[in-house]
Amino acid sequence: MSLNFLAGFNIMRVFNGLGAACLSAGLLLVGCNSTSHSYLLKENAIINKALDKAALEIVMDDDNFLSVSAQHNPGARAAMSQSISTAFQSVPPTPGAGPGEMAAAYVIATYMIKAQADSSMHSAASNRALPLFELLKQEQNKGRPEAIIRGHLLSMKFIQIGELNTATGCCELKVVVRPQVQLSNDLSTLEVKVDYTVSDTTAGEVVYKNSFIYLTDPAQQERGIDHWTNNSAKEFFGALDLALREIVKMIDFEFMPNERGEHKPKVATIKYQNKAGSFYERGSLLWTVNRRITLRDLRGNLRSFHGDLL
Amino acid sequence: MRSLKIIIVMLNIMLLVGCAGVPQPPVPLLDTYWEKQNQKLGVYIQQLEKPEFYMEGDVRLLDYAINAAVMSSATSHFEGLDVSDYDVLRGDINRHFLLQGSDVELLMDDLKINDLAEYEDPNKEDTIYFAKKDYTAFKKKYGIDHLLVVYPKRVGLARPYQGFIPMGDPRAIFEVHGELVDLNNNQLLWYADVLHANFSSGEWDEPPTFPGLTNGFYAALEAVKKDVLTRLQKKAVKQAKLDVK
C-alpha cells in the first residue's frame, strides 16, 4: 500500500491557519467515539410489574445473527501490529516535515492500514466459517434458531410472557430480545449474546436494558469448522441451546426479587484460569457451577464462561 | 572568538553527556540469596496515593491543558478508584519470604525515600551494582540486614500524544519499582521495574465509569503483584514446577 499521498500534506499549516477551530476539532475527534451504557434497573418499577405478563418481541437479524470475530486471535493481531509498524517506517519523511505533520501522517496511515488489516483478517476467518453460515441459513429459513430462543424465553420465571397482542390490554411490560452469536477468530468458541430491553408500555419508557453473554467451552481447534457443522450443525445448535438455558437462568437471577437490593455481591477482581491461561476480571461473582463462572462485569452485563477460580 | 565558541560547544557536549546517565539494568535475585538464612529482612511497600493520567510524547504547555481537559472525565474516575488491592502486596510478600524461611519485619513507617542522600557508586565499572539512595542507616534503625523496597512508579492511565493529537487509545497502566538492598554495603541484590498495561476490551470512552479501562487497570494491578512475587521466587522452585508439568 503506497502512503506517498501523505507527502506534502501540511496539516500543521492548516492547523495554524484555523487556530481555535483546530482545538475544537481535536476535542471533537477525541470525543466522537464516546459511548455510554445504560444499565437501567428501576427496581421498584420493575419488581411491581415483574409478575405481570409481558409482551415478547424477538428481533432476529438473520443476516447478522452469526458473525465472526476479527480480533480474537492474539497471534494474528500481533502480526497485524507488526505490519502497521513496518509499513509506516517504510514511508520516507517529507522533506521539512515537522513533528505535527509526522504525527498526523502516522495517525492517518495507522488507521488506514489497521482498517485494511482488520478487514482482511475478518474476511479470512469468515471464509473459513462459510460452511456454518450456509448451514445456518437453511435452518433460519425453517425458523429453527428463533424457535429455540423463543422456547427458552417462555420458561423465564420472573417475567412471564403473555399474549403478544397489546390491543387486548396485555401487557404493561414489553420485552425486546436481540440475540447474536459470534464465532471466535480461531473457530474454537461461540459467544452467545442476548441484548435484553424491558419497556413500560404505559409510560413508554425503557426500564431495564442489559446484555447476557455466554461463552462456550473451547472446542478442539484442530477440528476447525467441522466441529460446528458436522451432523447438521449438531454442536452449534447444542451450544446455542445450552447457552440460552444458562442465559435464562441469568435473566431469572436478575429479576428474582429476593436476590436484589441489599445482598448485592461485592465488586472485586476475580482470578481464574482455563486452557488459554490465567485471567483477571473485575466484577461481582454471582455463582460457579460445573467449572463455569458467572459474573456481572463492570458494564453491568451478566457473563458466563469456562474457568476455574484461583 | 573562535576558541570561545569551541569551549562553549565542548561544555555543552560535556553537560549533555553528563545528563544522560547509564540506566540501571535489572538485577535478578540469585539463588545464593536464600542460602543465608540468618539475615533479617525489612519489607517496605510504599503506599499508593491515587492513580494519575500520564501524557506520553511531545506535549507542550498548551497541549497539556487541552489533553487534560479532554481526558478529565477519565482522569477523575481513575483518581477515585479503590486501590486497596495494592496493599495486599505487603502481606503477599511477607508470606512469600516467611515460606522461604526468612526472618521478616514489615516496615510501616514512611521511609521518605526521596529525601534520602544519594549513595556514591564505589564500583564505576559496574561489576557490582549499588542502590542510588543510601539505605544503610536503616540497618541500625530497624535492626535489619536487607531491605526490600517496592514503590509505585506510574499508576493510572497513559496515552501517547504528538502535541494535542492522540497517537493511540489510552491504556491502563500499573508500574512498580522494586529493589532489595544489602544494608551492610548498599549493594543491590535485586532490582526491577515491573510494568503491566492493558487496553480496553471494547470501546474505551465510556463515561462516567469507563468499564473497559477500569477492568484493564485492575487486571494490570493483579498481574504486577503476581509478577513481583515471581521475580522474587527461588529459581530452583520455579524449575521444579516446570519439571512437574
Side-chain angles (χ1 to χ4, degrees):
Chain A
M1 179 191 216
S2 170
L3 296 168
N4 289 333
F5 71 96
L6 292 169
F9 177 57
N10 194 338
I11 199 160
M12 282 314 281
R13 199 173 298 149
V14 179
F15 278 8
N16 290 337
L18 293 175
C22 79
L23 300 184
S24 324
L27 291 167
L28 269 173
L29 277 168
V30 175
C32 64
N33 62 346
S34 167
T35 56
S36 63
H37 287 262
S38 49
Y39 167 48
L40 298 169
L41 198 59
K42 294 184 179 172
E43 302 200 11
N44 291 332
I46 208 159
I47 284 173
N48 292 340
K49 292 174 182 173
L51 294 173
D52 294 344
K53 290 198 183 297
L56 173 69
E57 185 185 348
I58 298 173
V59 182
M60 287 286 292
D61 182 354
D62 282 349
D63 291 335
N64 297 303
F65 174 63
L66 176 69
S67 61
V68 180
S69 167
Q71 297 176 8
H72 182 76
N73 187 338
R77 193 74 187 166
M80 190 190 78
S81 303
Q82 188 55 46
S83 69
I84 289 170
S85 172
T86 314
F88 182 70
Q89 281 164 16
S90 68
V91 182
T94 319
E101 289 165 295
M102 289 306 293
Y106 178 83
V107 170
I108 295 165
T110 301
Y111 279 105
M112 287 189 67
I113 300 168
K114 204 170 157 184
Q116 194 192 35
D118 268 343
S119 163
S120 58
M121 274 168 62
H122 188 257
S123 303
S126 299
N127 282 341
R128 280 183 295 152
L130 269 179
L132 181 59
F133 278 108
E134 284 164 8
L135 236 156
L136 184 63
K137 201 80 197 160
Q138 293 167 18
E139 296 298 327
Q140 278 171 332
N141 291 338
K142 296 179 211 162
R144 186 175 171 193
E146 187 169 347
I148 294 173
I149 293 160
R150 185 175 296 279
H152 280 286
L153 290 170
L154 288 173
S155 70
M156 287 188 302
K157 285 181 193 158
F158 299 101
I159 289 191
Q160 294 175 20
I161 302 304
E163 294 296 322
L164 296 179
N165 185 1
T166 49
T168 59
C170 177
C171 304
E172 279 190 71
L173 293 178
K174 183 181 178 187
V175 174
V176 179
V177 170
R178 284 185 176 78
Q180 280 179 317
V181 181
Q182 192 174 65
L183 186 61
S184 66
N185 189 266
D186 60 3
L187 312 180
S188 70
T189 51
L190 285 182
E191 184 187 275
V192 181
K193 182 181 175 191
V194 168
D195 291 335
Y196 192 90
T197 309
V198 184
S199 313
D200 184 327
T201 48
T202 340
E205 63 170 357
V206 173
V207 291
Y208 176 83
K209 187 180 177 186
N210 207 358
S211 297
F212 298 89
I213 301 158
Y214 179 98
L215 198 67
T216 63
D217 296 0
Q220 288 175 334
Q221 284 186 28
E222 58 270 23
R223 290 188 61 196
I225 199 65
D226 290 347
H227 174 77
W228 303 108
T229 52
N230 279 354
N231 300 324
S232 307
K234 185 183 163 200
E235 288 291 341
F236 176 82
F237 283 104
L240 183 65
D241 192 60
L242 209 63
L244 286 158
R245 194 177 303 166
E246 201 62 32
I247 283 172
V248 165
K249 269 188 211 165
M250 290 190 248
I251 297 171
D252 278 338
F253 172 83
E254 191 72 329
F255 292 97
M256 189 189 302
N258 293 339
E259 291 300 321
R260 296 161 60 207
E262 291 173 13
H263 302 294
K264 280 179 184 166
K266 197 181 155 206
V267 174
T269 306
I270 294 151
K271 299 160 203 168
Y272 67 95
Q273 66 176 18
N274 58 27
K275 274 186 198 169
S278 302
F279 302 95
Y280 306 104
E281 188 81 37
R282 190 81 174 164
S284 316
L285 181 64
L286 301 180
W287 64 81
T288 55
V289 179
N290 296 332
R291 304 185 73 193
R292 290 198 69 82
I293 299 165
T294 304
L295 57 80
R296 184 192 300 283
D297 68 19
L298 293 180
R299 290 187 170 95
N301 304 155
L302 268 68
R303 294 172 49 208
S304 168
F305 50 86
H306 175 78
D308 296 309
L309 288 176
L310 289 172
Chain B
M1 190 64 188
R2 186 181 164 80
S3 54
L4 183 68
K5 276 184 186 170
I6 291 170
I7 290 167
I8 291 170
V9 169
M10 291 298 282
L11 278 171
N12 279 334
I13 290 169
M14 285 163 75
L15 266 173
L16 285 168
V17 171
C19 289
V22 182
Q24 168 67 53
V27 178
L29 185 65
L30 300 176
D31 272 354
T32 49
Y33 172 79
W34 303 102
E35 289 164 10
K36 296 174 186 171
Q37 288 292 333
N38 54 347
Q39 308 285 321
K40 189 165 184 181
L41 172 71
V43 174
Y44 174 65
I45 313 291
Q46 194 181 61
Q47 269 198 322
L48 170 60
E49 294 300 325
K50 62 179 179 183
E52 293 175 40
F53 172 48
Y54 305 89
M55 295 175 209
E56 299 166 332
D58 182 13
V59 177
R60 314 283 165 88
L61 199 61
L62 180 61
D63 307 323
Y64 186 91
I66 296 166
N67 300 339
V70 171
M71 291 295 287
S72 63
S73 173
T75 307
S76 48
H77 168 69
F78 266 71
E79 282 174 351
L81 286 181
D82 173 14
V83 287
S84 55
D85 282 0
Y86 169 73
D87 299 334
V88 176
L89 183 59
R90 186 178 290 116
D92 287 349
I93 287 180
N94 184 29
R95 203 173 311 118
H96 172 74
F97 279 94
L98 285 174
L99 283 172
Q100 305 288 342
S102 300
D103 184 6
V104 186
E105 168 136 1
L106 293 176
L107 307 181
M108 305 306 283
D109 300 343
D110 182 0
L111 299 192
K112 295 190 168 46
I113 292 168
N114 289 337
D115 300 344
L116 294 176
E118 299 286 316
Y119 188 80
E120 197 179 336
D121 188 354
N123 182 255
K124 302 288 183 201
E125 299 81 26
D126 280 345
T127 49
I128 303 169
Y129 295 111
F130 293 88
K132 284 195 176 67
K133 295 286 185 180
D134 187 352
Y135 293 108
T136 51
F138 295 127
K139 179 178 168 68
K140 197 176 168 190
K141 186 175 179 185
Y142 294 106
I144 51 177
D145 304 293
H146 297 149
L147 174 65
L148 174 68
V149 173
V150 176
Y151 58 82
K153 275 185 84 175
R154 293 195 308 158
V155 174
L157 274 177
R159 191 174 197 187
Y161 288 96
Q162 179 68 57
F164 64 85
I165 303 172
M167 303 294 281
D169 287 345
R171 63 194 192 285
I173 55 166
F174 207 104
E175 182 178 21
V176 299
H177 170 73
E179 54 191 66
L180 178 59
V181 184
D182 184 341
L183 299 182
N184 295 305
N185 53 13
N186 218 42
Q187 187 189 332
L188 285 171
L189 303 175
W190 176 68
Y191 182 99
D193 286 322
V194 183
L195 166 70
H196 283 266
N198 290 313
F199 286 97
S200 170
S201 55
E203 288 290 338
W204 73 266
D205 196 4
E206 300 170 303
T209 57
F210 298 90
L213 279 172
T214 307
N215 191 46
F217 174 78
Y218 284 105
L221 192 166
E222 291 302 325
V224 161
K225 287 197 298 188
K226 189 179 172 191
D227 203 347
V228 167
L229 291 174
T230 306
R231 287 167 194 241
L232 289 170
Q233 212 168 31
K234 220 176 193 174
K235 284 175 192 62
V237 174
K238 270 201 286 190
Q239 189 57 49
K241 279 184 182 170
L242 286 173
D243 291 345
V244 170
K245 280 181 185 176

